[in-house]
PDB file of all heavy atoms in Angstrom:
ATOM      1  N   THR A  19     116.315  29.527  50.735  1.00 65.00           N
ATOM      2  CA  THR A  19     117.545  28.881  50.911  1.00 65.00           C
ATOM      3  C   THR A  19     118.677  29.596  50.125  1.00 65.00           C
ATOM      4  O   THR A  19     119.783  29.849  50.610  1.00 65.00           O
ATOM      5  CB  THR A  19     117.519  27.358  50.537  1.00 65.00           C
ATOM      6  OG1 THR A  19     116.506  26.828  51.272  1.00 65.00           O
ATOM      7  CG2 THR A  19     118.824  26.682  50.776  1.00 65.00           C
ATOM      8  N   TYR A  20     118.351  29.902  48.873  1.00 58.00           N
ATOM      9  CA  TYR A  20     119.388  30.606  48.028  1.00 58.00           C
ATOM     10  C   TYR A  20     119.669  32.024  48.611  1.00 58.00           C
ATOM     11  O   TYR A  20     120.762  32.465  48.580  1.00 58.00           O
ATOM     12  CB  TYR A  20     118.942  30.696  46.603  1.00 58.00           C
ATOM     13  CG  TYR A  20     119.115  29.486  45.888  1.00 58.00           C
ATOM     14  CD1 TYR A  20     117.989  28.799  45.308  1.00 58.00           C
ATOM     15  CD2 TYR A  20     120.345  28.856  45.734  1.00 58.00           C
ATOM     16  CE1 TYR A  20     118.195  27.561  44.608  1.00 58.00           C
ATOM     17  CE2 TYR A  20     120.469  27.693  45.043  1.00 58.00           C
ATOM     18  CZ  TYR A  20     119.383  27.022  44.517  1.00 58.00           C
ATOM     19  OH  TYR A  20     119.597  25.872  43.739  1.00 58.00           O
ATOM     20  N   ILE A  21     118.646  32.692  49.080  1.00 58.00           N
ATOM     21  CA  ILE A  21     118.900  34.033  49.636  1.00 58.00           C
ATOM     22  C   ILE A  21     119.754  33.879  50.966  1.00 58.00           C
ATOM     23  O   ILE A  21     120.730  34.697  51.115  1.00 58.00           O
ATOM     24  CB  ILE A  21     117.557  34.726  50.030  1.00 58.00           C
ATOM     25  CG1 ILE A  21     116.808  35.079  48.691  1.00 58.00           C
ATOM     26  CG2 ILE A  21     117.766  35.972  50.869  1.00 58.00           C
ATOM     27  CD1 ILE A  21     115.372  35.402  48.994  1.00 58.00           C
ATOM     28  N   LYS A  22     119.514  32.950  51.753  1.00 57.00           N
ATOM     29  CA  LYS A  22     120.403  32.785  52.975  1.00 57.00           C
ATOM     30  C   LYS A  22     121.808  32.383  52.566  1.00 57.00           C
ATOM     31  O   LYS A  22     122.690  32.859  53.230  1.00 57.00           O
ATOM     32  CB  LYS A  22     119.786  31.665  53.886  1.00 57.00           C
ATOM     33  CG  LYS A  22     118.605  32.066  54.572  1.00 57.00           C
ATOM     34  CD  LYS A  22     118.057  30.919  55.454  1.00 57.00           C
ATOM     35  CE  LYS A  22     116.860  31.347  56.237  1.00 57.00           C
ATOM     36  NZ  LYS A  22     116.309  30.265  57.064  1.00 57.00           N
ATOM     37  N   MET A  23     121.982  31.587  51.533  1.00 53.00           N
ATOM     38  CA  MET A  23     123.316  31.250  51.056  1.00 53.00           C
ATOM     39  C   MET A  23     123.974  32.459  50.532  1.00 53.00           C
ATOM     40  O   MET A  23     125.260  32.615  50.750  1.00 53.00           O
ATOM     41  CB  MET A  23     123.263  30.120  49.909  1.00 53.00           C
ATOM     42  CG  MET A  23     122.876  28.767  50.509  1.00 53.00           C
ATOM     43  SD  MET A  23     122.482  27.540  49.244  1.00 53.00           S
ATOM     44  CE  MET A  23     123.929  27.805  48.193  1.00 53.00           C
ATOM     45  N   ALA A  24     123.329  33.424  49.810  1.00 51.00           N
ATOM     46  CA  ALA A  24     123.990  34.525  49.272  1.00 51.00           C
ATOM     47  C   ALA A  24     124.287  35.523  50.333  1.00 51.00           C
ATOM     48  O   ALA A  24     125.224  36.363  50.216  1.00 51.00           O
ATOM     49  CB  ALA A  24     123.043  35.151  48.308  1.00 51.00           C
ATOM     50  N   GLU A  25     123.560  35.569  51.514  1.00 53.00           N
ATOM     51  CA  GLU A  25     123.847  36.617  52.535  1.00 53.00           C
ATOM     52  C   GLU A  25     125.026  36.328  53.384  1.00 53.00           C
ATOM     53  O   GLU A  25     125.628  37.221  53.896  1.00 53.00           O
ATOM     54  CB  GLU A  25     122.628  36.644  53.469  1.00 53.00           C
ATOM     55  CG  GLU A  25     121.377  37.306  52.885  1.00 53.00           C
ATOM     56  CD  GLU A  25     120.195  37.243  53.772  1.00 53.00           C
ATOM     57  OE1 GLU A  25     120.254  36.654  54.811  1.00 53.00           O
ATOM     58  OE2 GLU A  25     119.160  37.882  53.398  1.00 53.00           O
ATOM     59  N   THR A  26     125.454  35.034  53.467  1.00 55.00           N
ATOM     60  CA  THR A  26     126.667  34.667  54.209  1.00 55.00           C
ATOM     61  C   THR A  26     127.907  35.184  53.529  1.00 55.00           C
ATOM     62  O   THR A  26     128.011  34.993  52.363  1.00 55.00           O
ATOM     63  CB  THR A  26     126.666  33.253  54.531  1.00 55.00           C
ATOM     64  OG1 THR A  26     126.733  32.522  53.326  1.00 55.00           O
ATOM     65  CG2 THR A  26     125.498  32.810  55.355  1.00 55.00           C
ATOM     66  N   ARG A  27     128.911  35.621  54.255  1.00 58.00           N
ATOM     67  CA  ARG A  27     130.143  36.109  53.641  1.00 58.00           C
ATOM     68  C   ARG A  27     131.100  34.900  53.650  1.00 58.00           C
ATOM     69  O   ARG A  27     132.042  34.937  52.793  1.00 58.00           O
ATOM     70  CB  ARG A  27     130.718  37.259  54.454  1.00 58.00           C
ATOM     71  CG  ARG A  27     129.870  38.538  54.309  1.00 58.00           C
ATOM     72  CD  ARG A  27     130.555  39.685  54.974  1.00 58.00           C
ATOM     73  NE  ARG A  27     131.816  39.939  54.496  1.00 58.00           N
ATOM     74  CZ  ARG A  27     132.103  40.740  53.508  1.00 58.00           C
ATOM     75  NH1 ARG A  27     131.219  41.344  52.842  1.00 58.00           N
ATOM     76  NH2 ARG A  27     133.364  40.899  53.097  1.00 58.00           N
TER      77      ARG A  27
END
Side-chain angles (χ1 to χ4, degrees):
T19 304
Y20 282 120
I21 291 170
K22 285 181 183 178
M23 287 171 49
E25 288 177 354
T26 59
R27 292 186 56 91

